[in-house]
Amino acid sequence: GENVEQHPSTLSVQEGDSAVIKCTYSDSASNYFPWYKQELGKGPQLIIDIRSNVGEKKDQRIAVTLNKTAKHFSLHITETQPEDSAVYFCAASRRYSSASKIIFGSGTRLSIRP
Amino acid sequence: GAGVSQSPSNKVTEKGKDVELRCDPISGHTALYWYRQSLGQGLEFLIYFQGNSAPDKSGLPSDRFSAERTGGSVSTLTIQRTQQEDSAVYLCASSLEPTNTEAFFGQGTRLTVV
């Protein structure tokens, strides 16, 4: 069945440094890759997404890259700040398909050290 | 409010009892998802609705779990004869299909089976 693997499970970086989270997916028909941020006691919130016809997308300090051949995608956060501390989830789905369920990775707990 | 609403926010129940969890999606959103998040774990897919039908219920862990959606809006997830391993946060999300792609999550229902 479909599977999304996410690494690392925990990540601690110094404030101001960059953080990178990596994911791989198994379903070659996946064409939509969102990233969610979950703060304590809250539901996940979309922070950025990328579609299969795009290799890279940036939004201020956040960027995502996608390698469809290798079925890898990554989240990059630059100039990290204390408010970036949270759990991050990658996900994959087949958008615009009847098989539209979103499969999530196991999450990365990111801690920003002051 | 304009977001996804889940109720109750917390539920403590005795082993063997039945529970119903409710999700009010964002108005007009045709797609609705249920996920389960165990402590410190990722998001486990349970079921996906498109309108009132469930094209994918492959994630329901046993026949004790069922879900329905009426009027293309509110959904209820029912767990019969609850077990301690059912203790988790149950998250609901909705999205506007097929023209939009972002899934918006509620804050979840924390279920504790004692």
Side-chain angles (χ1 to χ4, degrees):
Chain A
E2 304 97 331
N3 186 48
V4 176
E5 293 191 359
Q6 182 171 349
H7 300 280
S9 57
T10 60
L11 180 60
S12 178
V13 301
Q14 192 74 34
E15 182 178 351
D17 288 351
S18 296
V20 180
I21 302 171
K22 298 183 178 182
C23 292
T24 60
Y25 61 97
S26 61
D27 181 8
S28 57
S30 295
N31 56 14
Y32 174 64
F33 307 91
W35 286 86
Y36 283 81
K37 176 182 181 182
Q38 186 177 30
E39 297 177 334
L40 194 62
K42 297 183 179 180
Q45 184 173 8
L46 181 75
I47 54 171
I48 194 167
D49 56 17
I50 191 168
R51 304 184 190 191
S52 59
N53 59 344
V54 175
E56 184 176 1
K57 181 177 179 179
K58 288 185 179 181
D59 182 4
Q60 299 182 353
R61 297 186 297 108
I62 296 174
V64 291
T65 59
L66 171 65
N67 181 332
K68 278 220 76 177
T69 303
K71 293 193 274 190
H72 290 172
F73 57 117
S74 300
L75 176 72
H76 304 250
I77 306 174
T78 59
E79 301 172 12
T80 52
Q81 300 171 3
E83 55 264 33
D84 295 330
S85 294
V87 178
Y88 291 81
F89 292 96
C90 61
S93 76
R94 303 181 193 179
R95 282 295 172 175
Y96 307 111
S97 161
S98 59
S100 255
K101 66 184 179 185
I102 308 169
I103 303 298
F104 285 84
S106 54
T108 296
R109 183 173 299 278
L110 175 63
S111 301
I112 307 301
R113 303 190 304 271
Chain B
V4 176
S5 178
Q6 292 188 246
S7 60
S9 54
N10 282 284
K11 176 72 175 178
V12 180
T13 190
E14 292 182 352
K15 179 181 172 182
K17 300 279 189 180
D18 297 351
V19 294
E20 278 192 0
L21 312 180
R22 176 185 170 107
C23 174
D24 279 278
I26 294 172
S27 177
H29 280 196
T30 60
L32 187 146
Y33 310 83
W34 283 99
Y35 289 86
R36 179 169 70 175
Q37 187 174 31
S38 300
L39 187 63
Q41 301 298 309
L43 300 168
E44 177 189 5
F45 170 79
L46 298 178
I47 188 170
Y48 157 62
F49 286 94
Q50 180 61 41
N52 290 337
S53 63
D56 193 335
K57 54 180 75 173
S58 62
L60 295 177
S62 75
D63 58 8
R64 296 186 297 105
F65 287 72
S66 63
E68 65 175 14
R69 190 178 185 196
T70 55
S73 182
V74 172
S75 176
T76 55
L77 176 68
T78 302
I79 309 173
Q80 296 178 311
R81 306 181 301 282
T82 52
Q83 303 294 313
Q84 287 186 332
E85 60 263 29
D86 299 334
S87 296
V89 175
Y90 290 81
L91 288 160
C92 174
S94 71
S95 67
L96 184 62
E97 292 277 11
T99 58
N100 204 336
T101 54
E102 179 174 358
F104 294 83
F105 279 85
Q107 65 184 28
T109 293
R110 181 176 296 279
L111 176 66
T112 304
V113 182
V114 297

